[in-house]
Amino acid sequence: MSCKCNLKDEKIENPKILNPDIEGDASEVIEEEIYENIEVYSEATLPEDAILVGESPILNEETIFPSILGKHMTPKNEYAYINVITGKVQFVYEDQNNIIYTVTPDHSLVIEPERYHHVILMGPVTLTLKFYKVPELQDNKSLDETAIRPGEFFLNKD
């Protein structure tokens, strides 16, 4: 069995040289590089009885609240919905920070209530945030009263 390889004329820029005793084997590096290039999308949906209670204006990388980029929660007992119009953002739940969701115009994201999370800007972006209450959650008394909740600014004031 013969193997033909035409690499002699190709120049490899910045080859990775590993010391298996220190850095592990190549399969670990390959898995890391593959993982870095995979975009993960959320399949979560809003409950059927969700009621819209607030919405942000169109935000961009210059007008988004800095607290949305830091660790925070949705308004008390409410779901949030990120709709990216242009560009993309990443989204991370603090209790699952090894999973980074990608949010694009084709892949919106539902944010569960009472879970710390943050948004990562990936360049120029325009987006809106919508907030929904769900009747069965309104009696939930186990709230983190110290949580930063920037979405409360966008709630309809009845």
Side-chain angles (χ1 to χ4, degrees):
M1 183 168 155
S2 67
C3 180
K4 189 172 182 179
C5 183
N6 294 327
L7 290 179
K8 65 181 178 180
D9 296 331
E10 290 186 31
K11 184 175 181 177
I12 299 173
E13 294 184 30
N14 302 321
K16 291 189 178 185
I17 300 171
L18 300 177
N19 178 342
D21 296 330
I22 299 171
E23 299 170 302
D25 63 27
S27 66
E28 292 173 357
V29 173
I30 292 168
E31 286 175 17
E32 286 176 15
E33 286 184 359
I34 290 172
Y35 183 74
E36 287 174 5
N37 293 319
I38 293 176
E39 292 189 334
V40 178
Y41 304 106
S42 172
E43 295 182 12
T45 58
L46 287 166
E48 287 184 23
D49 56 347
I51 301 164
L52 181 66
V53 293
E55 183 174 1
S56 74
I58 294 175
L59 302 171
N60 64 39
E61 67 279 3
E62 295 176 5
T63 60
I64 195 164
F65 290 12
S67 53
I68 291 173
L69 305 178
K71 178 180 171 180
H72 68 282
M73 284 189 182
T74 63
K76 294 176 183 175
N77 289 324
E78 293 176 1
Y79 283 83
Y81 181 85
I82 301 176
N83 179 45
V84 171
I85 301 164
T86 62
K88 72 178 177 180
V89 299
Q90 292 181 326
F91 176 89
V92 180
Y93 281 115
E94 299 293 330
D95 60 350
Q96 289 182 310
N97 60 9
N98 60 325
I99 301 173
I100 301 172
Y101 295 100
T102 300
V103 188
T104 68
D106 294 327
H107 298 94
S108 298
L109 183 113
V110 172
I111 304 171
E112 299 171 16
E114 299 309 307
R115 286 185 72 184
Y116 279 105
H117 58 274
H118 67 273
V119 173
I120 303 167
L121 299 180
M122 301 302 295
V125 66
T126 55
L127 60 87
T128 60
L129 303 167
K130 294 183 180 182
F131 302 94
Y132 296 83
K133 72 177 180 180
V134 177
E136 69 263 12
L137 290 179
Q138 299 312 301
D139 294 331
N140 180 8
K141 303 293 186 220
S142 59
L143 303 174
D144 183 342
E145 297 294 338
T146 63
I148 296 170
R149 299 175 187 269
E152 290 183 350
F153 180 80
F154 303 116
L155 298 181
N156 298 331
K157 308 296 185 221
D158 294 321

